[in-house]
């Protein structure tokens, strides 16, 4: 048995499918490609595949990851990726693949995620005034929001979940187009969704907004107190 980790993208064509649907897509593609995937034991065997942080519906990404357990130790990661790509639908594409050495479960080690969020707002702020307002927002010791958890909605301090927040402002007639780049905490221990961050920020700034696009650009795992690209962890 061996494990192959793949990095793949999700485009506009598939941005509205759920995480469960994504798993079914890969399961069917693996079956059609006749890949030597390992299956669990028992009355209802499941293919040996684990994905990183599930992507929200409507969000695109160039940094999705999955671990696939196979029974053929001689199969190369490149062959696995090539055969899988031939069967995946438009909008999902494996970008790279490597043999995994680490025994860590990818879901358990995800620690941070980077997003680009495109937001439209009324043209009321300049680059300078917006930067000053965002700096003031980030200078707060606490940023408390209503966050949905497994136990319901509760007040949550997200300040420690915001690692970095930058923006570019582009005037567009009566509107401003703002391109936020946000590095936030992700994973099972502390997870901050980018739309919640933008809701909190725009609420603090007192401006109306509309999110046009959310795109994940990077995902990081924690290894020995370092943030690493998940493909770096496998070697």
């Amino acid at each position: 048995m061996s494990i192959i980790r793949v990095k793949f993208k999700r485009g506009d064509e598939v941005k509205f499918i759920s995480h469960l649907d994504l798993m079914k897509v890969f399961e069917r593609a693996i079956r059609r490609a006749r890949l030597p995937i390992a299956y669990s034991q028992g009355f209802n065997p499941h293919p040996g595949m684990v994905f990183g942080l599930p992507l929200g519906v409507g969000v695109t990404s160039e940094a999705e990851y999955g671990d696939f357990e196979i029974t053929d130790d001689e199969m190369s990661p490149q062959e696995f990726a090539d055969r899988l790509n031939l069967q995946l639908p438009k909008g999902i594409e494996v970008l790279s693949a490597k043999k995994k050495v680490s025994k860590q479960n990818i879901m358990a080690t995800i620690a941070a995620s980077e997003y680009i969020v495109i937001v439209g707002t009324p043209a009321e702020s300049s680059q300078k005034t917006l930067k000053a307002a965002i700096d003031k927002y980030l200078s707060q010791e606490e940023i408390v929001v209503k966050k949905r958890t497994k136990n319901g909605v509760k007040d949550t301090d997200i300040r420690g979940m915001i690692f970095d927040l930058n923006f570019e402002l582009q005037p567009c007639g009566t509107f401003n187009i703002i391109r936020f780049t946000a590095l936030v905490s992700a994973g099972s221990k502390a997870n901050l969704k980018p739309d919640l961050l933008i809701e909190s920020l725009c609420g603090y700034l007192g401006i109306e907004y509309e999110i046009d696009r959310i795109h994940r650009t990077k995902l990081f795992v924690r290894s020995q107190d370092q943030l690493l690209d998940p493909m770096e962890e496998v070697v």
Side-chain angles (χ1 to χ4, degrees), residues 149-219:
T149 69
K150 293 180 180 179
N151 300 318
V153 178
K154 68 174 186 178
D155 288 343
T156 304
D157 179 14
I158 64 170
R159 181 60 191 92
M161 302 182 197
I162 307 169
F163 301 146
D164 198 17
L165 180 62
N166 296 294
F167 76 96
E168 296 175 7
L169 186 148
Q170 179 181 346
C172 186
T174 59
F175 281 86
N176 282 335
I177 304 299
I178 307 174
R179 183 182 188 269
F180 289 103
T181 302
L183 179 63
V184 295
S185 178
S188 56
K189 293 183 178 180
N191 187 62
L192 177 57
K193 293 183 178 181
D195 51 343
L196 181 59
L197 170 58
I198 297 302
E199 178 185 344
S200 169
L201 173 62
C202 291
Y204 177 84
L205 300 180
I207 59 175
E208 297 180 0
Y209 73 98
E210 182 174 341
I211 295 177
D212 179 67
R213 180 181 178 87
I214 301 176
H215 181 73
R216 181 185 285 167
T217 53
K218 294 177 183 177
L219 204 59

Side-chain angles (χ1 to χ4, degrees), residues 4-90:
I4 293 177
R5 175 167 292 179
V6 304
K7 178 182 181 180
F8 63 97
K9 70 175 184 179
R10 287 181 62 179
D12 288 313
E13 300 91 342
V14 292
K15 68 181 181 180
F16 291 115
I17 69 171
S18 68
H19 183 65
L20 180 59
D21 288 334
L22 177 73
M23 294 179 69
K24 291 178 180 177
V25 166
F26 270 93
E27 188 173 353
R28 287 194 293 267
I30 286 168
R31 191 163 53 244
R32 289 195 298 266
R34 299 182 180 277
L35 289 168
I37 197 77
Y39 282 84
S40 62
Q41 302 297 312
F43 293 104
N44 187 24
H46 296 285
M49 56 184 191
V50 180
F51 292 91
L53 187 70
L55 200 65
V57 174
V59 181
T60 57
S61 174
E62 60 192 74
E64 299 303 289
Y65 298 86
D67 290 343
F68 298 84
E69 186 176 6
I70 60 174
T71 57
D72 183 359
D73 291 341
E74 301 303 316
M75 176 172 280
S76 71
Q78 190 60 54
E79 180 185 357
F80 182 89
D82 290 343
R83 287 170 59 177
L84 189 55
N85 271 334
L86 288 174
Q87 303 300 329
L88 287 170
K90 187 176 181 181

Side-chain angles (χ1 to χ4, degrees), residues 110-131:
I110 293 295
S113 185
E114 183 184 82
Y115 296 91
I116 290 175
V117 187
I118 308 298
V119 175
T121 69
E124 299 173 351
S125 300
S126 66
Q127 181 91 8
K128 184 177 181 181
T129 58
L130 186 57
K131 183 181 186 310

